[in-house]
mmCIF file of all heavy atoms in Angstrom:
data_model
loop_
_atom_site.group_PDB
_atom_site.id
_atom_site.type_symbol
_atom_site.label_atom_id
_atom_site.label_comp_id
_atom_site.label_asym_id
_atom_site.label_seq_id
_atom_site.Cartn_x
_atom_site.Cartn_y
_atom_site.Cartn_z
ATOM 1 N N GLU O 1 -4.582 -11.372 18.589
ATOM 2 C CA GLU O 1 -3.325 -11.333 19.313
ATOM 3 C C GLU O 1 -2.167 -11.315 18.330
ATOM 4 O O GLU O 1 -2.241 -11.874 17.239
ATOM 5 C CB GLU O 1 -3.206 -12.545 20.243
ATOM 6 C CG GLU O 1 -4.196 -12.495 21.392
ATOM 7 C CD GLU O 1 -4.214 -13.771 22.217
ATOM 8 O OE1 GLU O 1 -3.483 -14.721 21.887
ATOM 9 O OE2 GLU O 1 -4.978 -13.812 23.190
ATOM 10 N N ASN O 2 -1.090 -10.682 18.693
ATOM 11 C CA ASN O 2 0.119 -10.589 17.887
ATOM 12 C C ASN O 2 -0.132 -9.952 16.524
ATOM 13 O O ASN O 2 0.566 -10.242 15.565
ATOM 14 C CB ASN O 2 0.766 -11.969 17.706
ATOM 15 C CG ASN O 2 1.132 -12.591 19.036
ATOM 16 O OD1 ASN O 2 1.571 -11.891 19.941
ATOM 17 N ND2 ASN O 2 0.932 -13.885 19.160
ATOM 18 N N ASN O 3 -1.181 -9.122 16.426
ATOM 19 C CA ASN O 3 -1.496 -8.416 15.184
ATOM 20 C C ASN O 3 -1.592 -9.375 13.999
ATOM 21 O O ASN O 3 -1.100 -9.102 12.903
ATOM 22 C CB ASN O 3 -0.457 -7.317 14.924
ATOM 23 C CG ASN O 3 -0.963 -6.272 13.978
ATOM 24 O OD1 ASN O 3 -2.169 -6.103 13.822
ATOM 25 N ND2 ASN O 3 -0.055 -5.571 13.337
ATOM 26 N N ALA O 4 -2.216 -10.525 14.212
ATOM 27 C CA ALA O 4 -2.287 -11.573 13.202
ATOM 28 C C ALA O 4 -2.932 -11.112 11.900
ATOM 29 O O ALA O 4 -2.589 -11.605 10.837
ATOM 30 C CB ALA O 4 -3.046 -12.781 13.759
ATOM 31 N N PHE O 5 -3.859 -10.173 11.960
ATOM 32 C CA PHE O 5 -4.544 -9.710 10.755
ATOM 33 C C PHE O 5 -4.215 -8.254 10.454
ATOM 34 O O PHE O 5 -4.969 -7.569 9.786
ATOM 35 C CB PHE O 5 -6.057 -9.904 10.907
ATOM 36 C CG PHE O 5 -6.447 -11.345 10.967
ATOM 37 C CD1 PHE O 5 -6.619 -11.988 12.181
ATOM 38 C CD2 PHE O 5 -6.614 -12.069 9.805
ATOM 39 C CE1 PHE O 5 -6.965 -13.325 12.231
ATOM 40 C CE2 PHE O 5 -6.956 -13.404 9.850
ATOM 41 C CZ PHE O 5 -7.130 -14.030 11.056
ATOM 42 N N GLY O 6 -3.072 -7.793 10.925
ATOM 43 C CA GLY O 6 -2.667 -6.410 10.718
ATOM 44 C C GLY O 6 -2.602 -6.008 9.260
ATOM 45 O O GLY O 6 -2.910 -4.883 8.896
ATOM 46 N N ASP O 7 -2.188 -6.928 8.395
ATOM 47 C CA ASP O 7 -2.091 -6.611 6.966
ATOM 48 C C ASP O 7 -3.445 -6.304 6.350
ATOM 49 O O ASP O 7 -3.521 -5.613 5.336
ATOM 50 C CB ASP O 7 -1.445 -7.766 6.196
ATOM 51 C CG ASP O 7 0.014 -7.956 6.567
ATOM 52 O OD1 ASP O 7 0.601 -7.019 7.141
ATOM 53 O OD2 ASP O 7 0.561 -9.032 6.272
ATOM 54 N N LEU O 8 -4.519 -6.819 6.932
ATOM 55 C CA LEU O 8 -5.839 -6.613 6.356
ATOM 56 C C LEU O 8 -6.348 -5.188 6.537
ATOM 57 O O LEU O 8 -7.266 -4.775 5.846
ATOM 58 C CB LEU O 8 -6.841 -7.601 6.961
ATOM 59 C CG LEU O 8 -6.578 -9.070 6.637
ATOM 60 C CD1 LEU O 8 -7.623 -9.929 7.324
ATOM 61 C CD2 LEU O 8 -6.580 -9.319 5.150
ATOM 62 N N VAL O 9 -5.773 -4.453 7.461
ATOM 63 C CA VAL O 9 -6.220 -3.082 7.676
ATOM 64 C C VAL O 9 -5.301 -2.072 6.999
ATOM 65 O O VAL O 9 -5.470 -0.874 7.158
ATOM 66 C CB VAL O 9 -6.373 -2.755 9.182
ATOM 67 C CG1 VAL O 9 -7.461 -3.590 9.802
ATOM 68 C CG2 VAL O 9 -5.064 -2.932 9.913
ATOM 69 N N GLN O 10 -4.315 -2.545 6.240
ATOM 70 C CA GLN O 10 -3.427 -1.661 5.501
ATOM 71 C C GLN O 10 -4.132 -1.147 4.259
ATOM 72 O O GLN O 10 -4.728 -1.916 3.511
ATOM 73 C CB GLN O 10 -2.146 -2.413 5.088
ATOM 74 C CG GLN O 10 -1.284 -2.851 6.246
ATOM 75 C CD GLN O 10 -0.634 -1.668 6.926
ATOM 76 O OE1 GLN O 10 -0.286 -0.688 6.291
ATOM 77 N NE2 GLN O 10 -0.480 -1.757 8.237
ATOM 78 N N ARG O 11 -4.081 0.138 4.031
ATOM 79 C CA ARG O 11 -4.669 0.762 2.848
ATOM 80 C C ARG O 11 -3.620 0.778 1.740
ATOM 81 O O ARG O 11 -2.447 1.028 1.993
ATOM 82 C CB ARG O 11 -5.093 2.183 3.202
ATOM 83 C CG ARG O 11 -5.790 2.919 2.109
ATOM 84 C CD ARG O 11 -6.210 4.306 2.627
ATOM 85 N NE ARG O 11 -7.026 4.986 1.663
ATOM 86 C CZ ARG O 11 -6.554 5.847 0.769
ATOM 87 N NH1 ARG O 11 -5.276 6.132 0.733
ATOM 88 N NH2 ARG O 11 -7.370 6.440 -0.079
ATOM 89 N N HIS O 12 -4.041 0.501 0.510
ATOM 90 C CA HIS O 12 -3.125 0.562 -0.628
ATOM 91 C C HIS O 12 -2.567 1.976 -0.692
ATOM 92 O O HIS O 12 -3.312 2.949 -0.572
ATOM 93 C CB HIS O 12 -3.871 0.193 -1.918
ATOM 94 C CG HIS O 12 -2.962 0.002 -3.078
ATOM 95 N ND1 HIS O 12 -2.237 -1.143 -3.269
ATOM 96 C CD2 HIS O 12 -2.637 0.833 -4.109
ATOM 97 C CE1 HIS O 12 -1.518 -1.034 -4.362
ATOM 98 N NE2 HIS O 12 -1.742 0.162 -4.905
ATOM 99 N N ASN O 13 -1.260 2.128 -0.899
ATOM 100 C CA ASN O 13 -0.673 3.459 -0.786
ATOM 101 C C ASN O 13 0.360 3.774 -1.864
ATOM 102 O O ASN O 13 1.338 4.451 -1.603
ATOM 103 C CB ASN O 13 -0.046 3.635 0.599
ATOM 104 C CG ASN O 13 1.114 2.678 0.823
ATOM 105 O OD1 ASN O 13 1.348 1.771 0.030
ATOM 106 N ND2 ASN O 13 1.830 2.872 1.911
ATOM 107 N N ARG O 14 0.131 3.276 -3.079
ATOM 108 C CA ARG O 14 1.096 3.583 -4.129
ATOM 109 C C ARG O 14 0.410 3.711 -5.475
ATOM 110 O O ARG O 14 -0.671 3.167 -5.695
ATOM 111 C CB ARG O 14 2.196 2.537 -4.177
ATOM 112 C CG ARG O 14 1.758 1.147 -4.543
ATOM 113 C CD ARG O 14 2.889 0.121 -4.422
ATOM 114 N NE ARG O 14 4.145 0.555 -4.966
ATOM 115 C CZ ARG O 14 4.604 0.221 -6.172
ATOM 116 N NH1 ARG O 14 3.901 -0.569 -6.935
ATOM 117 N NH2 ARG O 14 5.759 0.659 -6.607
ATOM 118 N N CYS O 15 1.080 4.407 -6.370
ATOM 119 C CA CYS O 15 0.583 4.585 -7.732
ATOM 120 C C CYS O 15 0.989 3.366 -8.547
ATOM 121 O O CYS O 15 2.164 2.984 -8.583
ATOM 122 C CB CYS O 15 1.183 5.849 -8.338
ATOM 123 S SG CYS O 15 0.709 6.110 -10.062
ATOM 124 N N ASP O 16 0.017 2.745 -9.193
ATOM 125 C CA ASP O 16 0.282 1.547 -9.985
ATOM 126 C C ASP O 16 0.241 1.818 -11.488
ATOM 127 O O ASP O 16 0.181 0.888 -12.290
ATOM 128 C CB ASP O 16 -0.736 0.451 -9.631
ATOM 129 C CG ASP O 16 -0.597 0.009 -8.185
ATOM 130 O OD1 ASP O 16 0.507 -0.419 -7.808
ATOM 131 O OD2 ASP O 16 -1.587 0.112 -7.436
ATOM 132 N N ALA O 17 0.276 3.098 -11.879
ATOM 133 C CA ALA O 17 0.271 3.437 -13.302
ATOM 134 C C ALA O 17 1.512 2.838 -13.963
ATOM 135 O O ALA O 17 2.567 2.698 -13.330
ATOM 136 C CB ALA O 17 0.252 4.955 -13.477
ATOM 137 N N ASN O 18 1.377 2.475 -15.241
ATOM 138 C CA ASN O 18 2.549 1.932 -15.961
ATOM 139 C C ASN O 18 3.739 2.868 -15.851
ATOM 140 O O ASN O 18 4.865 2.430 -15.643
ATOM 141 C CB ASN O 18 2.208 1.683 -17.434
ATOM 142 C CG ASN O 18 1.281 0.494 -17.599
ATOM 143 O OD1 ASN O 18 1.208 -0.369 -16.740
ATOM 144 N ND2 ASN O 18 0.566 0.478 -18.708
ATOM 145 N N GLU O 19 3.480 4.160 -16.000
ATOM 146 C CA GLU O 19 4.537 5.147 -15.853
ATOM 147 C C GLU O 19 4.078 6.177 -14.832
ATOM 148 O O GLU O 19 3.185 6.979 -15.098
ATOM 149 C CB GLU O 19 4.829 5.828 -17.186
ATOM 150 C CG GLU O 19 5.959 6.818 -17.100
ATOM 151 C CD GLU O 19 6.226 7.527 -18.422
ATOM 152 O OE1 GLU O 19 5.697 7.101 -19.457
ATOM 153 O OE2 GLU O 19 6.956 8.523 -18.393
ATOM 154 N N CYS O 20 4.665 6.146 -13.651
ATOM 155 C CA CYS O 20 4.328 7.122 -12.610
ATOM 156 C C CYS O 20 5.095 8.414 -12.904
ATOM 157 O O CYS O 20 6.326 8.396 -13.062
ATOM 158 C CB CYS O 20 4.695 6.580 -11.227
ATOM 159 S SG CYS O 20 4.328 7.744 -9.901
ATOM 160 N N LEU O 21 4.379 9.513 -12.979
ATOM 161 C CA LEU O 21 4.955 10.808 -13.319
ATOM 162 C C LEU O 21 5.355 11.632 -12.098
ATOM 163 O O LEU O 21 5.958 12.701 -12.240
ATOM 164 C CB LEU O 21 3.961 11.605 -14.169
ATOM 165 C CG LEU O 21 3.462 10.914 -15.448
ATOM 166 C CD1 LEU O 21 2.348 11.727 -16.085
ATOM 167 C CD2 LEU O 21 4.611 10.685 -16.401
ATOM 168 N N CYS O 22 5.024 11.170 -10.915
ATOM 169 C CA CYS O 22 5.275 11.932 -9.690
ATOM 170 C C CYS O 22 6.780 12.041 -9.436
ATOM 171 O O CYS O 22 7.470 11.015 -9.341
ATOM 172 C CB CYS O 22 4.589 11.286 -8.497
ATOM 173 S SG CYS O 22 4.778 12.211 -6.969
ATOM 174 N N PRO O 23 7.307 13.271 -9.304
ATOM 175 C CA PRO O 23 8.749 13.429 -9.068
ATOM 176 C C PRO O 23 9.200 12.855 -7.717
ATOM 177 O O PRO O 23 10.361 12.488 -7.558
ATOM 178 C CB PRO O 23 8.970 14.946 -9.127
ATOM 179 C CG PRO O 23 7.628 15.571 -9.031
ATOM 180 C CD PRO O 23 6.622 14.543 -9.420
ATOM 181 N N GLU O 24 8.273 12.728 -6.756
ATOM 182 C CA GLU O 24 8.626 12.190 -5.442
ATOM 183 C C GLU O 24 8.509 10.668 -5.380
ATOM 184 O O GLU O 24 8.848 10.059 -4.367
ATOM 185 C CB GLU O 24 7.735 12.815 -4.365
ATOM 186 C CG GLU O 24 7.814 14.321 -4.285
ATOM 187 C CD GLU O 24 9.208 14.796 -3.883
ATOM 188 O OE1 GLU O 24 9.830 14.172 -3.018
ATOM 189 O OE2 GLU O 24 9.655 15.813 -4.451
#
């Protein structure tokens, strides 16, 4: 209820490289 564990179904969605080269 109330999406109590909603964060657990979130997929990691970012580049964690020291230097991200992506222009976007």
